[in-house]
C-alpha cells in the first residue's frame, strides 16, 4: 500500500527532528498507522510536530522511523512522494520514472501520543484564549531574542507568552527570560474566532469539529446540508458520504440540531453549504 506524502509537510517535519543527537531515533520522522489514521511525529525532545497524514487509513497497524537523510533525498527529487507501508520505504514517482529511498531507523520512538493526550484532556475542560499571530512576527521575536542575548551574555533567552488580553482584539505580550528591560507586543489577527480546524489538529475529535462547523455556518446566516444520526457521529459521517440520509440543518441548541422539517438530531456531518438560511422554512411539529 502506497500512502501519498506532501513534500512541504515532510520538510516542516524535519525542522523539528533532532540533528546529531545521541538519541539517534529522534533524527527522523516517526510514522504510525492504526485506528483509522496515519500520523507522523517529529521531535528533538524540546519541540514536537504531529501531522495527520490521512484519516481513512485501512491497513494494518505499524510504526516506522525514517531517517532525515532519506526524507531529504525524497523531497529534493521533486517527484510525488509516497510511503510504502509494507516495506517502510519512500517511493518517489513522476510519469513512468520512480525512485526508492530506504532509511529505516531501528529504535523505540517516545510515546508522543501519551504526551499529547495529557494536553488534549486539559484543552477539553479549559481552553486557552484564542490567539492567532502572524508567523512572521514570531520569527522576528526569535531574531530579537538572539540579538538581545548577545547584549546580556545569554546565548538564546527563552521566550515567554507573558499575557494575552482581549483589548480591541487580543494583544499578546512576550518577555525574554532573564531580561528585565524589554517586552515585545504583537496584536492577534482579527479573524481568529473560528478555530475548529486547529481544534481538530489538537484533539482529533471529528464529532466536535463537525458540530462547530455547522454552528459557525448557521451563525453566519447559512443553512447546512448534513448527514444526520441520533446514534453516533460515525453513522452521520457515513450518511454524509453516501448522501443516503441528508437533511438541511437550520438551527441548534446546546445539545441538538434541527432540520427544515423540525426533526431533531444529535449528530451531524456537513456536506456543503446550500443557501442563505430562511427561518420561515422551518416547519413546526
Amino acid at each position: 500500500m502506497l500512502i501519498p506524502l506532501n513534500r512541504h509537510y515532510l520538510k516542516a517535519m524535519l525542522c523539528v527532528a533532532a540533528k546529531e543527537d545521541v538519541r539517534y531515533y529522534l533524527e527522523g520522522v516517526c510514522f504510525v498507522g492504526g485506528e483509522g489514521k496515519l500520523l507522523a511525529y517529529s521531535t528533538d525532545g524540546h519541540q514536537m510536530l504531529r501531522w495527520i497524514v490521512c484519516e481513512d487509513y485501512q491497513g494494518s497497524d505499524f510504526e516506522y522511523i525514517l531517517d532525515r537523510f532519506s526524507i531529504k533525498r525524497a523531497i529534493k527529487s521533486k517527484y510525488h512522494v509516497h510511503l510504502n507501508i509494507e516495506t517502510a520505504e519512500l517511493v518517489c514517482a513522476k510519469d513512468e520514472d520512480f525512485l526508492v529511498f530506504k532509511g529505516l531507523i531501528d529504535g523505540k520512538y517516545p510515546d508522543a501520543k501519551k504526551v499529547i493526550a495529557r494536553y488534549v484532556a486539559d484543552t477539553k475542560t479549559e481552553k486557552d484564549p484564542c490567539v492567532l499571530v502572524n508567523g512572521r512576527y514570531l520569527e522576528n521575536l526569535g531574531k530579537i531574542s538572539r540579538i538581545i542575548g548577545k547584549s546580556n551574555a545569554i546565548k538564546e533567552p527563552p521566550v515567554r507568552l507573558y499575557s494575552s488580553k482581549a483589548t480591541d482584539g487580543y494583544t499578546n505580550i512576550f518577555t525574554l527570560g532573564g531580561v528585565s528591560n524589554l517586552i515585545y507586543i504583537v496584536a492577534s489577527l482579527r479573524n481568529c474566532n473560528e478555530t475548529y480546524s486547529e481544534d481538530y489538529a489538537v484533539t482529533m475529535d471529528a464529532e466536535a469539529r463537525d458540530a462547530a462547523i455547522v454552528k459557525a455556518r448557521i451563525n453566519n446566516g447559512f443553512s447546512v446540508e448534513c448527514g444526520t444520526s441520533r446514534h453516533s457521529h460515525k453513522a452521520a459521517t457515513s450518511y454524509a458520504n453516501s448522501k443516503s440520509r441528508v437533511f438541511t440543518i437550520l438551527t441548534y441548541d446546546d445539545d441538538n440540531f434541527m432540520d427544515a422539517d423540525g426533526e431533531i438530531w444529535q449528530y451531524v456531518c456537513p456536506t456543503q453549504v446550500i443557501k442563505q438560511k430562511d427561518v420561515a422554512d422551518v416547519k413546526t411539529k
Side-chain angles (χ1 to χ4, degrees), residues 14-178:
L14 293 182
C15 291
V16 176
K19 297 178 181 178
E20 299 179 0
D21 198 303
V22 293
R23 299 165 297 179
Y24 63 93
Y25 47 83
L26 298 184
E27 297 183 13
V29 177
C30 180
F31 293 89
V32 181
E35 300 179 353
K37 291 182 175 64
L38 196 159
L39 307 175
Y41 299 92
S42 61
T43 182
D44 62 1
H46 303 283
Q47 55 183 338
M48 176 183 289
L49 268 181
R50 183 188 68 190
W51 170 23
I52 304 174
V53 180
C54 71
E55 302 178 63
D56 56 355
Y57 176 69
Q58 301 298 324
S60 57
D61 293 357
F62 73 91
E63 181 173 324
Y64 301 138
I65 308 173
L66 299 184
D67 67 35
R68 66 165 46 250
F69 302 107
S70 61
I71 294 173
K72 286 180 71 173
R73 290 195 292 269
I75 294 171
K76 289 181 178 179
S77 74
K78 296 186 178 180
Y79 284 16
H80 299 294
V81 184
H82 300 78
L83 174 64
N84 188 324
I85 301 303
E86 284 77 21
T87 63
E89 298 171 338
L90 293 175
V91 179
C92 305
K94 185 177 181 181
D95 299 327
E96 297 182 358
D97 190 18
F98 70 92
L99 302 168
V100 176
F101 298 104
K102 299 180 179 181
L104 185 63
I105 295 177
D106 183 14
K108 178 63 177 176
Y109 207 75
D111 190 352
K113 184 177 180 180
K114 183 178 180 180
V115 172
I116 295 175
R118 291 198 296 266
Y119 179 76
V120 170
D122 291 340
T123 60
K124 287 184 176 180
T125 57
E126 184 178 352
K127 188 178 175 183
D128 293 333
C130 177
V131 178
L132 190 65
V133 178
N134 189 315
R136 180 168 55 87
Y137 298 140
L138 297 181
E139 183 180 357
N140 202 34
L141 178 58
K143 182 179 179 181
I144 292 168
S145 171
R146 291 190 292 274
I147 293 172
I148 298 302
K150 292 179 181 179
S151 175
N152 289 270
I154 305 172
K155 185 176 180 181
E156 284 193 31
V159 174
R160 184 192 305 277
L161 175 55
Y162 186 84
S163 177
S164 182
K165 300 294 184 182
T167 54
D168 189 26
Y170 278 102
T171 299
N172 309 291
I173 299 176
F174 293 88
T175 58
L176 304 179

Side-chain angles (χ1 to χ4, degrees), residues 3 35 64 112 185 200 214 222 235 240:
I3 303 294
E35 300 179 353
Y64 301 138
I185 302 174
Y200 181 72
V214 173
F222 291 94

